[in-house]
Amino acid sequence: MEEDDDGMSTTELAQPATDQCGSGITLQEAAEFIWREAEMLDRHDYKPWLALWAPGSHYVIPIEQDEKVDAAGALNIAYDDVEMREARVKRLRSGFAMSSAPAARTARTVSRFVTLGDDAGVLTVRAVQHIVEYKFERTRILAAEVLYGLRRTGPDIALARKEIRLINSDDPLWGIGYLL
């Protein structure tokens, strides 16, 4: 076992967190769920993506960088409940939304998973996401810190909340014709 300057074991840091109290979701299970969700979005596989959400859940892209600001009472790029998520997917699939015709090709990487808490049966995980988008002979990169609220629903895991904090959310953004 190696120790760094603070006396912490690098072996201890590398061990996945286990969580058998509130949510019953391990960090490994959370990471695997988040990777599956990312693959669904890159493949534009929206029907199973919509099924990942728990009742009463929200998909949020705040403008404000301060995590202490309650997104429910602030101006956001998106603050979607089930009806708004379904409407957004319908627009993306229809081809009638200017930002989604043609659909952008994306490849995303999600990493640096950190558990922040496990309250009321919801495991909160913070991760970093990089999305490479290709559309109209142009490639761009978006980066964000993402907060996932995950809830166990029987043998499955569901999204209770997904909050995408784009690192440039307070800058002018081009049309984003896909789900983050």
Side-chain angles (χ1 to χ4, degrees):
M1 176 172 19
E2 296 177 26
E3 289 189 11
D4 64 14
D5 293 339
D6 295 330
M8 294 188 70
S9 162
T10 54
T11 305
E12 291 173 283
L13 292 174
Q15 296 299 318
T18 57
D19 172 14
Q20 298 306 324
C21 50
S23 69
I25 302 169
T26 66
L27 183 57
Q28 182 65 36
E29 288 175 307
E32 289 173 7
F33 175 86
I34 291 166
W35 288 327
R36 281 193 309 276
E37 188 238 2
E39 182 175 22
M40 286 177 191
L41 293 175
D42 282 341
R43 293 182 179 274
H44 305 178
D45 205 359
Y46 298 130
K47 188 174 180 180
W49 180 79
L50 287 170
L52 293 178
W53 293 84
S57 55
H58 287 92
Y59 169 81
V60 183
I61 308 172
I63 293 173
E64 183 63 49
Q65 291 292 323
D66 185 355
E67 287 184 27
K68 295 179 184 125
V69 172
D70 181 16
L75 183 61
N76 298 290
I77 297 166
Y79 192 87
D80 294 358
D81 60 9
V82 64
E83 290 85 15
M84 288 300 297
R85 284 191 304 273
E86 289 172 353
R88 190 175 300 277
V89 165
K90 184 177 179 180
R91 282 192 308 274
L92 288 171
R93 295 177 80 187
S94 73
F96 293 120
M98 191 63 156
S99 63
S100 67
R105 289 180 274 180
T106 60
R108 68 193 72 213
T109 303
V110 187
S111 63
R112 201 188 75 197
F113 300 99
V114 177
T115 56
L116 298 181
D118 189 359
D119 299 316
V122 175
L123 176 66
T124 302
V125 176
R126 181 175 54 217
V128 173
Q129 175 175 257
H130 297 108
I131 301 173
V132 179
E133 169 202 357
Y134 178 77
K135 184 174 180 173
F136 298 129
E137 300 179 0
R138 169 181 60 93
T139 301
R140 75 172 167 168
I141 298 172
L142 292 174
E145 187 171 84
V146 185
L147 295 174
Y148 296 88
L150 304 176
R151 175 177 290 134
R152 174 89 53 201
T153 55
D156 300 320
I157 297 173
L159 282 162
R161 182 177 182 89
K162 181 178 179 183
E163 186 170 319
I164 303 103
R165 294 191 168 274
L166 292 166
I167 63 171
N168 63 334
S169 64
D170 48 1
D171 283 349
L173 295 172
W174 304 296
I176 300 173
Y178 48 89
L179 294 163
L180 301 174

